[in-house]
């Protein structure tokens, strides 16, 4: 497989976030903050930094109109602290009124990572237990068990060809078909809430490595529409892409000042949003999908304790929910910090929290109170606290957090039937 700028299956995620944004058209989320009635801590603290089309989600939250939230996990290992962020994002969006969905990507784990179906099931259940521990409310499914999802994937596959897969993922003639299939499963996952319930804006919180799938899905969602609706000078143009003639007639009939031409209807004196809604109704009545193009948010990765990304393939980099206390303490105590070479230097110059894996652990999950986090930062940069003590305090927090979380997971695990 060719090296691609963003490769969802590679472990090397040392990417320059801002450059990716400008290269791939991901937008910074900060300008949308005023549009949210409540700003979650992951946006406030700069953990979730980018988005595609999040405005339609902010507006659904504000106006209490329907929207969905979906994310997915590949059950290729135990869940760990690195998975917690998207889980919290999903839970938050459900609290804001979204319909929650989580997919366990066992087909992807089997196809791409060679994980046995039995292991997929065991790991998948652990992810579901985590979600329950976070009080997630909504639907969960395993890809391999969801027949409607597979039908949707097949339909989506009619809109994707191999040259597109090569351009997006660097697939080569040697890439196996199951790998391509797992890609189209993810496309179907992202569109699934809209066939399970109703077409509505859908927010997909992911890490930046998943953006290729988001781009592909947005293209497919558009291609599966019967119509496009565009605002022109003084009128709204509804174009048929592959709509039956009768559907185009129905669009015309819905608006008094509409004129029908070959393949399109032009409408005067109407609001674009109203036309779009009506066109969706007509499309659905004629058996179309009427998809909204899905939205996404991107969070920065919590660095692993050894520096790079948290990854199951580097056991020292992660803290999983299944580790004994002594190991957790040891891992935290040997984590990479933003401390200086000598104590004297650290007292004089202060530490560098933004380079410190433990500070980021606190920022992401361990310290929920902003004032308390601010105090840690202040003490660090002023050289008031040394890393040894700071690590110990962090280890205590992590141990307490995990104890509580694990109890909730265990209680939930009993009720998970898969
Ligand atoms: N590919 C994702 C991963 O590697 C898992 C996944 C499958 C997913 N379907 C999804 C993520 C839909 C977001 C939305 O972790
Ligand atoms: Fe990190 Fe704490 Fe050391 Fe600062 S004092 S660099 S936050 S461990």
């Amino acid at each position: 497989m060719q090296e691609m700028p963003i490769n969802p299956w590679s472990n090397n995620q040392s990417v320059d976030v801002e450059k990716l944004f400008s290269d791939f058209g991901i937008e910074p989320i900060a300008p949308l903050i005023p549009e949210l009635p409540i700003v979650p801590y992951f946006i406030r603290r700069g953990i979730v930094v980018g988005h595609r089309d999040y405005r339609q989600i902010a507006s659904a939250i504000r106006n209490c109109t329907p929207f969905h939230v979906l994310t997915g996990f590949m059950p290729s290992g135990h869940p760990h602290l690195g998975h917690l962020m998207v889980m919290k994002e999903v839970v938050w969006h459900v609290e804001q009124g979204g319909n929650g969905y989580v997919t366990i990507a066992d087909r992807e784990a089997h196809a791409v990572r060679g994980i046995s179906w039995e292991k997929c099931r065991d790991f998948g259940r652990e992810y579901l237990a985590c979600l329950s521990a976070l009080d997630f409310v909504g639907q969960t499914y395993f890809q391999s068990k969801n027949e409607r999802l597979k039908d949707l994937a097949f339909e989506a596959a009619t809109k994707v060809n191999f040259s597109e897969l090569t351009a997006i993922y660097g697939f080569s003639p040697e890439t196996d078909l199951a790998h391509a299939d797992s890609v189209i499963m993810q496309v179907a996952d992202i569109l699934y809430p809209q066939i399970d319930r109703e077409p509505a804006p859908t927010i997909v919180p992911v890490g930046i490595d998943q953006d290729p799938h988001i781009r592909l899905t947005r293209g497919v969602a558009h291609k599966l529409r019967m119509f496009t609706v565009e605002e022109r000078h003084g009128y709204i143009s509804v174009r048929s892409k592959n709509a039956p003639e009768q559907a185009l007639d129905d669009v015309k009939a819905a608006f008094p000042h509409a004129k029908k031409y070959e393949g399109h209807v032009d409408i005067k004196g109407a609001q674009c949003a109203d036309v779009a809604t009506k066109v969706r109704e007509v499309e659905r009545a004629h058996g179309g999908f009427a998809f909204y193009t899905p939205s996404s948010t991107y969070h920065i990765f919590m660095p692993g304790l050894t520096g790079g990304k948290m990854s199951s393939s580097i056991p020292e980099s992660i803290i999983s929910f299944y580790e004994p206390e002594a190991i957790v303490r040891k891992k935290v105590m040997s984590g990479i910090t933003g401390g200086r070479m000598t104590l004297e230097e650290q007292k004089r110059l202060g530490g560098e929290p933004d380079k410190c894996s433990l500070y980021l652990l606190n920022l992401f999950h361990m310290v929920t109170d902003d004032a308390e986090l601010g105090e840690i930062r202040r003490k660090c940069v002023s050289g008031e606290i040394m890393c040894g003590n700071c690590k110990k305090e962090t280890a205590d927090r992590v141990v307490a957090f995990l104890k509580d979380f694990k109890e909730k997971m265990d209680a939930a695990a009993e009720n998970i039937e898969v």
Side-chain angles (χ1 to χ4, degrees):
M1 210 148 60
Q2 262 169 272
E3 265 312 302
M4 302 302 281
I6 314 180
N7 178 347
W9 300 285
S10 125
N11 270 329
N12 173 17
Q13 294 297 335
S14 52
V15 288
D16 175 345
V17 174
E18 300 207 340
K19 177 151 175 10
L20 276 180
F21 281 16
S22 57
D23 287 359
F24 288 95
I26 297 173
E27 290 182 50
I29 203 150
L32 287 187
I33 289 178
E35 297 185 25
L36 282 172
I38 302 172
V39 184
Y41 85 94
F42 46 79
I43 294 184
R44 216 168 52 228
R45 292 186 180 180
I47 297 167
V48 167
V49 283
H51 75 99
R52 289 186 192 273
D53 251 350
Y54 193 74
R55 191 161 266 120
Q56 61 178 346
I57 304 299
S59 132
I61 294 175
R62 254 192 349 266
N63 302 318
C64 301
T65 52
F67 74 99
H68 312 301
V69 51
L70 173 136
T71 199
F73 300 96
M74 181 158 58
S76 55
H78 296 291
H80 56 70
L81 282 179
H83 297 111
L84 215 49
M85 185 41 63
V86 284
M87 291 189 185
K88 288 184 178 175
E89 287 181 66
V90 172
V91 168
W92 185 82
H93 281 95
V94 172
E95 284 165 8
Q96 303 310 305
N99 306 304
Y101 287 83
V102 171
T103 168
I104 301 298
D106 57 346
R107 278 192 147 188
E108 183 180 5
H110 189 69
V112 181
R113 296 277 151 83
I115 310 292
S116 74
W117 293 111
E118 203 190 344
K119 278 268 167 233
C120 282
R121 201 196 60 199
D122 292 347
F123 289 139
R125 291 169 57 113
E126 295 178 3
Y127 281 90
L128 296 180
C130 284
L131 283 155
S132 295
L134 291 168
D135 296 324
F136 168 75
V137 180
Q139 290 203 39
T140 57
Y141 61 83
F142 283 65
Q143 286 177 330
S144 67
K145 303 245 170 69
N146 188 334
E147 294 306 317
R148 289 170 68 219
L149 180 81
K150 292 179 202 171
D151 287 346
L152 178 58
F154 191 77
E155 205 66 45
T158 65
K159 303 293 178 199
V160 178
N161 62 29
F162 277 98
S163 67
E164 196 174 1
L165 292 180
T166 304
I168 297 183
Y169 301 104
F171 279 8
S172 74
E174 280 72 43
T175 305
D176 56 88
L177 265 183
H179 200 153
D181 191 62
S182 74
V183 166
I184 210 70
M185 287 306 288
Q186 180 154 352
V187 169
D189 281 329
I190 295 171
L191 299 174
Y192 182 71
Q194 301 198 60
I195 65 156
D196 187 54
R197 275 183 177 248
E198 59 179 325
T202 305
I203 175 67
V204 187
V206 284
I208 205 137
D209 63 316
Q210 297 295 305
D211 186 54
H213 300 304
I214 301 287
R215 272 183 282 145
L216 179 66
T217 309
R218 285 168 58 85
V220 170
H222 178 75
K223 286 179 194 152
L224 285 172
R225 289 292 313 264
M226 282 180 180
F227 297 103
T228 58
V229 179
E230 269 173 41
E231 186 139 30
R232 301 272 168 86
H233 283 295
Y235 66 99
I236 292 151
S237 165
V238 179
R239 290 198 165 265
S240 159
K241 295 199 293 173
N242 48 24
E245 205 55 32
Q246 183 59 46
L248 202 57
D249 287 339
D250 291 356
V251 170
K252 177 185 183 296
F255 295 95
H257 303 293
K259 260 194 156 157
K260 190 174 170 229
Y261 303 91
E262 180 68 41
H264 66 114
V265 168
D266 290 349
I267 301 163
K268 283 195 174 143
Q271 293 294 321
C272 194
D274 297 340
V275 173
T277 304
K278 185 71 208 172
V279 166
R280 277 209 166 81
E281 244 171 61
V282 171
E283 186 169 327
R284 289 183 81 190
H286 285 270
F289 290 109
F291 286 137
Y292 284 77
T293 303
S295 308
S296 49
T297 52
Y298 304 92
H299 62 84
I300 55 170
F301 282 106
M302 185 164 66
L305 296 167
T306 46
K309 190 189 170 187
M310 274 207 172
S311 163
S312 312
S313 53
I314 313 166
E316 298 74 37
S317 74
I318 63 161
I319 295 172
S320 102
F321 300 113
Y322 293 85
E323 281 172 310
E325 180 177 331
I327 306 269
V328 172
R329 276 193 196 278
K330 205 168 136 219
K331 283 186 176 180
V332 173
M333 291 310 288
S334 43
I336 286 191
T337 71
R340 306 285 176 176
M341 297 301 277
T342 64
L343 279 184
E344 182 280 320
E345 215 179 297
Q346 183 148 356
K347 279 188 184 140
R348 189 159 46 84
L349 300 170
E352 296 178 285
D354 296 322
K355 291 187 183 161
C356 174
S357 70
L358 302 182
Y359 180 74
L360 287 154
L361 195 55
N362 286 315
L363 174 99
F364 268 65
H365 298 297
M366 298 304 152
V367 178
T368 45
D369 184 70
D370 283 352
E372 195 188 335
L373 185 72
E375 193 51 18
I376 295 174
R377 192 183 177 86
R378 189 192 62 74
K379 283 189 193 159
C380 172
V381 295
S382 66
E384 209 170 291
I385 189 172
M386 296 297 110
C387 292
N389 276 339
C390 187
K391 281 181 180 179
K392 236 182 254 136
E393 288 174 15
T394 304
D396 289 343
R397 278 185 211 110
V398 176
V399 166
F401 173 87
L402 287 179
K403 184 166 176 291
D404 175 59
F405 197 74
K406 187 70 185 2
E407 270 167 24
K408 289 186 182 148
M409 277 178 75
D410 289 344
E414 291 169 17
N415 301 322
I416 293 171
E417 287 166 30
V418 181

